[in-house]
Amino acid sequence: MSKAIDVRNPRTGKFDYVIIPPPAKLLAQQCSRLRRSQKSWQQLSIEGRVEALQQWKQVILSGREKLTEALVNDTGRLSISVMEIDSFLSSIDRWCKLAPELLQESPKNTAIPFIELQQTAVPYPLVGVISPWNFPLLLSTIDTIPALLAGCAVIVKPSEIAPRFVAPLLAALNNVPKLRDVLTFVEGAAETGAALIENVDLICFTGGVETGRKVAEAAAKHFIPAFLELGGKDPAIVLESADLDLATSAILWGSVVNTGQSCQSIERIYVAESIMEPFVKQLVDKAQRLELAYPTPDSGEIGPIIAERQAAIVSDHLLDAAELGAVVHCGGEIETHGGGWWCRPTVLTQVNHAMKVMTEETFGPIMPVMSFSTVEEAITLANDSVYGLSAAVFAGADTEALEVARQIDAGGISINDAALTALVHEGEKNSFKFSGLGGSRMGKTALTRFIRKKAFLVKTNSAPDPWWFK
């Protein structure tokens, strides 16, 4: 029998929830069941798949309070949990609208006048999804929904740190038999994730680089595609012409939303020397207005650090920066309240790339600010990273910002705003460097990466015979 895993509540510090991972044999049986049911799901029209997902959405809406409660217990936050549910439900509508057009195929002419091209899309039978704890619901379904609409069956393993949201989702699934047969969630830790890769035809993973490398290697061993979205150390560049009020507000939001526990968080800030002093003053003034969401989830804007291990990383980065000469303007330490780990918005100056806080993923509400003397220096500093997920550039004119943005090694770059890649889903983007691997989970390819194309080359009646010898 698999060993039970105790789950910690990020607000109270108590272990108040238990999950039991499935034995390897049972997991394999679940995957076999899903794969068998996938054939009928694939044969169902796209309209039928849309209808099933819409039914699931309606059932979730009718029990939304239970899902909200579960997410709050998973993450310790309220407003972001509400936004996460809204984003999840709207993504169902968005993909249900887009999928019929993206999956439509029609005959095409080829360079040879009497050869017609007909194509069809064949979905991967079973997609595995391994998702993280920072946005438990959204990141467990961001790949799941387009994969289902493409005709795949899906099995999801959420993080063992934030698994409570699974129960209300499964309860809703039980009311939609067609969808229940091709979608399930399994609870467990790293061992369950490793076993999952052995039983699926394609794997999607969101998480850290270290684990992502293991996922990629396991997928390669089994010769299946792996789509990885990994860590980030997202830079923001503030040029001399930037609107400081706009830049400080956007960067503050991009740095501390969800307590900085987001791959798209701004984690390092480069500011033109001439505006460094007023920029830091405005940023600190705004940061100090934000309160901890304690004692209740609606007491403030900054929720707890969800994972205990992450609290240790944030603390280590702050201590390392202080030892190497960083100046703390606000925040700057891990606090304990009610058994949970907390960190107020922290602004640092006198930082450099010898510090962990400027080079390693912090995943907390930390804003290290460094000045630059030339635009070329700013670009060099922004690109001095093993990561290349996203970035932000602020300037008085879009053209000026875009000229800099084109030279940054990152997949999604916000102009005069921050962390927009978390909100705007139309733009295809690929991860650079160690921030990921595989097709974009935004734009059209977010769906089409789950299908394989077949080409039928049809000779028409007008062809000479035998034409290929002439």
Side-chain angles (χ1 to χ4, degrees):
M1 183 176 178
S2 298
K3 185 179 179 181
I5 298 173
D6 293 319
V7 182
R8 177 181 172 275
N9 185 307
R11 294 192 68 84
T12 66
K14 296 179 180 178
F15 290 86
D16 57 7
Y17 194 79
V18 177
I19 62 174
I20 301 176
K25 185 176 180 180
L26 178 58
L27 178 61
Q29 290 172 346
Q30 287 178 298
C31 290
S32 295
R33 176 186 64 81
L34 290 167
R35 189 175 276 107
R36 287 194 300 271
S37 299
Q38 182 271 336
K39 295 178 181 178
S40 298
W41 179 251
Q42 178 184 343
Q43 291 168 0
L44 191 65
S45 66
I46 180 60
E47 289 76 18
R49 298 198 287 271
V50 165
E51 182 182 359
L53 279 163
Q54 287 293 334
Q55 288 175 0
W56 189 36
K57 174 192 165 185
Q58 292 305 317
V59 178
I60 291 170
L61 278 170
S62 67
R64 179 175 177 142
E65 295 78 12
K66 291 183 178 179
L67 182 57
T68 303
E69 181 183 0
L71 269 182
V72 170
N73 287 330
D74 273 332
T75 63
R77 70 201 181 196
L78 177 59
S79 60
I80 298 295
S81 294
V82 172
M83 184 181 75
E84 190 174 354
I85 294 172
D86 288 340
S87 297
F88 160 58
L89 296 174
S90 67
S91 72
I92 293 178
D93 287 339
R94 185 177 71 254
W95 280 118
C96 285
K97 181 180 179 181
L98 291 173
E101 180 183 349
L102 293 178
L103 295 173
Q104 187 178 15
E105 298 284 358
S106 57
K108 299 178 179 67
N109 294 326
T110 70
I112 301 174
F114 46 83
I115 301 295
E116 181 184 80
L117 172 63
Q118 296 181 19
Q119 290 201 290
T120 189
V122 181
Y124 287 89
L126 181 58
V127 169
V129 174
I130 300 175
S131 58
W133 48 261
N134 55 322
F135 288 95
L137 171 64
L138 193 60
L139 292 178
S140 68
T141 55
I142 192 170
D143 299 308
T144 298
I145 295 167
L148 286 167
L149 286 166
C152 310
V154 182
I155 182 167
V156 184
K157 191 210 81 69
S159 169
E160 70 277 14
I161 293 172
R164 297 169 182 83
F165 76 99
V166 168
L169 282 188
L170 286 174
L173 265 180
N174 285 331
N175 291 279
V176 190
K178 287 182 180 178
L179 193 56
R180 177 190 61 202
D181 291 342
V182 291
L183 172 62
T184 197
F185 293 74
V186 293
E187 297 171 328
E191 296 80 4
T192 304
L196 184 67
I197 297 171
E198 296 179 0
N199 288 280
V200 298
D201 305 299
L202 181 153
I203 190 73
C204 296
F205 172 82
T206 307
V209 173
E210 183 180 351
T211 305
R213 185 188 295 275
K214 294 177 182 177
V215 170
E217 291 172 351
K221 180 181 176 182
H222 293 281
F223 222 70
I224 64 172
F227 299 122
L228 313 177
E229 177 136 332
L230 308 179
K233 191 68 182 174
D234 293 0
I237 294 177
V238 185
L239 300 175
E240 188 176 29
S241 61
D243 180 326
L244 287 190
D245 185 47
L246 169 66
T248 50
S249 293
I251 288 173
L252 177 63
W253 180 86
S255 301
V256 307
V257 67
N258 197 33
T259 317
Q261 300 166 121
S262 171
C263 296
Q264 289 85 14
S265 287
I266 297 297
E267 291 214 357
R268 48 199 175 106
I269 305 160
Y270 304 103
V271 180
E273 281 179 344
S274 60
I275 58 171
M276 178 72 171
E277 186 175 340
F279 175 91
V280 171
K281 183 180 185 306
Q282 283 198 35
L283 186 64
V284 171
D285 288 346
K286 292 176 180 180
Q288 289 178 324
R289 297 174 200 164
L290 301 180
E291 299 291 341
L292 299 181
Y294 184 84
T296 64
D298 55 1
S299 296
E301 301 83 5
I302 307 300
I305 298 174
I306 298 170
E308 191 169 10
R309 177 175 176 269
Q310 202 61 47
I313 292 172
V314 174
S315 179
D316 177 55
H317 285 196
L318 289 172
L319 289 171
D320 175 74
E323 289 174 358
L324 293 176
V327 175
V328 179
H329 294 264
C330 58
E333 62 182 357
I334 299 295
E335 303 176 16
T336 56
H337 299 285
W341 299 99
W342 305 77
C343 184
R344 297 178 188 274
T346 297
V347 177
L348 306 174
T349 58
Q350 298 301 311
V351 293
N352 58 63
H353 281 215
M355 300 175 182
K356 295 178 182 179
V357 77
M358 293 299 285
T359 56
E360 299 179 12
E361 188 172 39
T362 306
F363 229 56
I366 315 301
M367 293 163 279
V369 188
M370 184 175 176
S371 66
F372 62 85
S373 56
T374 67
V375 173
E376 291 73 23
E377 181 189 4
I379 295 167
T380 299
L381 289 167
N383 288 335
D384 181 23
S385 175
V386 298
Y387 298 104
L389 191 62
S390 47
V393 181
F394 294 82
D398 292 350
T399 51
E400 184 184 7
L402 284 165
E403 184 178 350
V404 172
R406 290 188 179 98
Q407 300 175 69
I408 296 176
D409 297 331
I413 302 174
S414 301
I415 304 299
N416 284 323
D417 213 324
L420 289 179
T421 54
L423 304 173
V424 179
H425 303 277
E426 289 81 4
E428 292 185 14
K429 64 182 184 68
N430 297 109
S431 299
F432 285 51
K433 303 177 184 178
F434 286 101
S435 282
L437 186 69
S440 172
R441 61 166 33 153
M442 303 293 179
K444 296 178 181 179
T445 57
L447 187 147
T448 56
R449 63 197 168 127
F450 295 112
I451 57 178
R452 291 164 290 183
K453 289 291 190 74
K454 278 188 175 182
F456 302 105
L457 306 173
V458 182
K459 187 177 74 170
T460 65
N461 293 332
S462 60
D465 190 23
W467 66 273
W468 53 87
F469 286 129
K470 297 182 178 179

